[in-house]
Amino acid sequence: MKKFLFGAVFCLLSLSSDIASADVRLPGIISDHMVLLKSEKVPIWGMAAPGEEVTVTLDKATAKATAGADGKWKLALNLKDFAQGPFTMTVQGKNTLTISDVVVGEVWLAGGQSNMAFMLVYTVGGEDAVKAPTNPMIRQFYMRSGTSETAVDEFAGAWRLAEPGYKNSFSAVGYYFAKVLNTELNAPVGIINSSYGGTRIESWVSPETIEKTPILKTANEAALQYRKDYPAPFAAYKKDYAAWLKQTGREDHPVGDVKTFAEDPLPAEGWTVVPIGTLVSPGFPINGAVWLRKDIEVPPDIAKTGTTLTLGVFEGFPSIYWNGKLIKQTTIENHPGTSGSVTTIPADLMKEGKNTLAIRLFAPGKPLAFPSAGSYPGKGFTGDWAVHTEYTLPALTSEQLTAMPKLPDPPVPVDGLSGNIYNSMIWPLTNYAIRGMVWYQGESNAANAYDYRVLLPAMIEGWRKQWGRGDLPFYFCQLPTYYAKTALPVPDIYMWTTVRESQSKSLRVPKTGMAVLIDLGEAENLHPLDKREAGERLAALALANDYGKKVEASGPVYDSVKFEKGVAKVKFLHAEGLVAKPLGATYVVNRMPKVPVTAPLVRNGPNGELEGFALCGEDKQWFWADAKVQGDSVVVWSDKVPAPVAVRYAWSANPTVNLYNGAGLPAAPFRTDDFPRP
């Protein structure tokens, strides 16, 4: 899936490797507006000249440290009994640094892929949330996306208040999580937003964990070896493909002035407005060159700093223009295959307000396609694009198509290699005192969904070890619904159910919790827009488990089942007020367009109160079932299964479900069988 992921480039207060300088230096996260954890041991660290004494003072708390031979120093402040502030921190060595507007409260790390990065302004109710007055007690530190093959100490970022303007780029899940904690605890809440769209969990795992986890170690060694071996087959492919283009007369021959296509006002004629998706449709060529254009609204903070543009894979060779300037061109020499590419858009090309993104797509072989909407932090490029055909190539003969060289499977991109994102976006944070972690990821691991039940616990264990806290709370989102609904309870070909089950299995790890989102997805949108519920459900877990609040943090959870006289009676935990929530006549397909897309809802259990239940007999043939609430249990039956042996609930990529408890939380997907996948 193509993704455009933007991240503001902030000021860097780096831990320089140049230890000869006498100046005391601090990492970017120890900066103005930071939130420090209300705890007895809060690390502060940085660089100075070897042997230099450094004193840190925050109100009545003072601590000293001496820089080692490598110039590094570290100390801890006791902030357990501190008021909220704000305070001013001084860091004094041979020079003095002043950090202003420091508050003391709660700090949580928010990590994952694009659904954690998803920006507040584009969610349901997000525009109103952004316009609300500044809340100085909610703050975010944004870690710029990056990778590294070795652990790094230097990193960019800045603490910002939840104020109109900046809230545009606040993690929506992180914001709603923080808002609940701030309200319920009456305390400052800081969110460290370390998220990177389209990433697999392997890249977030620490190198130490990789070495002791066989499934990770084997996969990583194979990926690294393939990267070493790849240049030879890729060189052969480039030579053969260039020869094929020449033989078939399909070499690129740009027609017209680039400025006309990429920069000038859109002409009244020659362009067609289309929704994003495949370009193989009446009026567009199967092969040739086309232009796509879309206006992008850029907020002030990004306009001032520049940003990064991350693209997945088109079918063809894209050239990317921003406000008329070429910023990235893919040719046969640098074809990325199925990996993405990252390009920096410098500040001097950015404008506050309307900017123009133009893409020239040349496809000489396979049919032209831009099959995914893509996104930038929190904003999907769905809706209408302007498309213009530059020129059309004749159809390929069957012989030419057969002779077309095939690109060898590309190696895992750098951001997909085990540990590479951890090195850049987690390791640098492990000195910072946090209360816990929230996590929203898993979509990119559908291809190895079963392994996720090993990978997620391994990642959690590794992170806790690096923070020196084996009991550090870790709460994660279970994947919501996605893809089309199915008429029968058939196996989920997209492996979404297996990811969800692997996530559930990870709850065996102590001090973890799962926010069930099975009722929040959209059939055709990987980034569902209801992020408020996701953040609030994560917050309920923290309030109940870490802050001693008497709140229900879980929906109904499967406990046991009894089969009697053709009926299954399923008992649940967290079942107080068990209820069948009324269903509407339609369900959400996609909220991204200006007018959300819906579709008629077809009932699968019309003789019962509940949807989403299925039964099977000894033959393991599954059928939708009728079901109704009975106290803290659900009774399930089907005329097609006279002797049931197993029950499943919400066991498809996009199930229709309506079982909730009195707290308004949905029941978690479950199955009572352990049948292998067919």
Side-chain angles (χ1 to χ4, degrees), residues 118-191:
F118 206 90
M119 290 165 60
L120 175 62
V121 68
Y122 301 115
T123 61
V124 175
E127 290 186 3
D128 291 337
V130 167
K131 294 175 184 176
T134 298
N135 185 340
M137 296 296 101
I138 297 177
R139 307 178 181 199
Q140 175 182 262
F141 181 85
Y142 178 80
M143 283 288 286
R144 187 182 179 192
S145 300
T147 65
S148 176
E149 295 184 9
T150 58
V152 297
D153 290 325
E154 298 185 7
F155 59 102
W159 283 99
R160 297 288 298 272
L161 277 59
E163 57 189 351
Y166 178 67
K167 275 190 289 186
N168 283 335
S169 54
F170 220 103
S171 160
V173 172
Y175 173 78
Y176 286 117
F177 174 82
K179 185 178 179 182
V180 172
L181 295 191
N182 170 243
T183 300
E184 294 297 322
L185 304 175
N186 190 28
V189 180
I191 296 297

Side-chain angles (χ1 to χ4, degrees), residues 576-648:
E576 184 175 352
L578 206 62
V579 64
K581 188 175 180 179
L583 288 163
T586 61
Y587 69 95
V588 176
V589 174
N590 194 339
R591 285 193 177 96
M592 276 290 193
K594 293 180 180 179
V595 178
V597 179
T598 61
L601 181 66
V602 177
R603 292 290 304 265
N604 295 312
N607 298 315
E609 302 172 324
L610 294 163
E611 288 291 326
F613 283 90
L615 290 173
C616 82
E618 292 289 352
D619 60 2
K620 299 182 182 178
Q621 298 298 305
W622 290 95
F623 295 92
W624 293 120
D626 296 301
K628 66 179 180 180
V629 173
Q630 192 177 87
D632 62 354
S633 301
V634 169
V635 177
V636 189
W637 72 96
S638 171
D639 294 340
K640 296 180 180 179
V641 188
V645 299
V647 183
R648 291 180 177 179

Side-chain angles (χ1 to χ4, degrees), residues 45-101:
W45 72 100
M47 295 288 293
E52 184 174 354
E53 184 176 81
V54 179
T55 302
V56 176
T57 302
L58 183 73
D59 196 47
K60 298 177 182 179
T62 299
K64 296 183 178 183
T66 301
D70 59 358
K72 296 180 180 180
W73 58 267
K74 181 180 176 182
L75 52 80
L77 297 176
N78 185 348
L79 307 182
K80 182 179 180 181
D81 299 320
F82 258 57
Q84 296 179 3
F87 303 104
T88 296
M89 174 186 284
T90 60
V91 181
Q92 187 171 5
K94 295 178 181 178
N95 63 306
T96 300
L97 301 177
T98 300
I99 310 299
S100 63
D101 189 30

